[in-house]
Amino acid sequence: MGVLSALTRGLVRGADRMAEFTSKRGPRTFYKSRGARPTGVLTSSRKFIPVQAMIPEFVVPNLEGFNLKPYVSYKTPAGTEPPMTPEMFFNQVVAPQIERDIEEGVFNEENLEKYGLEKTQGGKLFKLHPRNFVR
């Protein structure tokens, strides 16, 4: 259906007819969630079967005796650390691994993919991609 025909239909039938379906406006079989993920499966006979693997499990640490509050004010001063550069990241994450392998005698210059370096670096010292971040 084209844009013009949709506009004409809206003008002829009224603007309210063009509104999107909600759970109140739609037919009895219309099922629309409110953003929460389902915790089971809805069968063809409209029966809900909960699936244990789909139910979220919240792991909350014991905060007994914890003094900090869960709110950080916007008035707090900005951090004093300088922004992270690729050189700083390399020196903190990859360089210690390379030094440890050199001391153990297992360092191989041909196998740099082990440290997150790629052969197609294009002359760059270190390429930041998710594989390099500490987990």
Side-chain angles (χ1 to χ4, degrees):
M1 182 182 307
V3 175
L4 288 176
S5 60
L7 286 174
T8 0
R9 187 181 65 169
L11 291 173
V12 170
R13 296 177 68 190
D16 192 42
R17 295 269 180 123
M18 296 300 291
E20 89 179 53
F21 271 175
T22 63
S23 55
K24 284 191 173 188
R25 292 196 71 237
R28 187 170 51 89
T29 58
F30 183 73
Y31 176 75
K32 181 179 179 185
S33 62
R34 299 281 184 208
R37 304 201 86 187
T39 58
V41 181
L42 200 62
T43 62
S44 60
S45 61
R46 306 286 298 160
K47 182 179 178 185
F48 184 79
I49 299 174
V51 177
Q52 191 65 32
M54 295 175 75
I55 298 175
E57 179 183 337
F58 298 105
V59 179
V60 181
N62 185 9
L63 298 177
E64 199 171 297
F66 195 68
N67 295 330
L68 295 178
K69 303 293 180 207
Y71 173 77
V72 177
S73 173
Y74 284 102
K75 296 178 183 177
T76 56
T80 57
E81 290 186 14
M84 180 74 80
T85 61
E87 288 84 11
M88 291 170 56
F89 188 78
F90 179 83
N91 291 334
Q92 291 178 6
V93 177
V94 178
Q97 294 176 358
I98 294 176
E99 288 175 0
R100 185 182 64 236
D101 284 352
I102 288 175
E103 289 172 1
E104 293 175 1
V106 293
F107 178 72
N108 184 5
E109 197 172 315
E110 302 297 322
N111 189 14
L112 294 179
E113 292 87 13
K114 174 182 175 183
Y115 310 106
L117 298 169
E118 296 178 358
K119 294 182 179 181
T120 58
Q121 292 288 81
K124 295 180 183 173
L125 174 67
F126 193 62
K127 185 186 277 186
L128 290 176
H129 53 82
R131 197 174 94 195
N132 295 336
F133 291 109
V134 179
R135 292 188 178 120

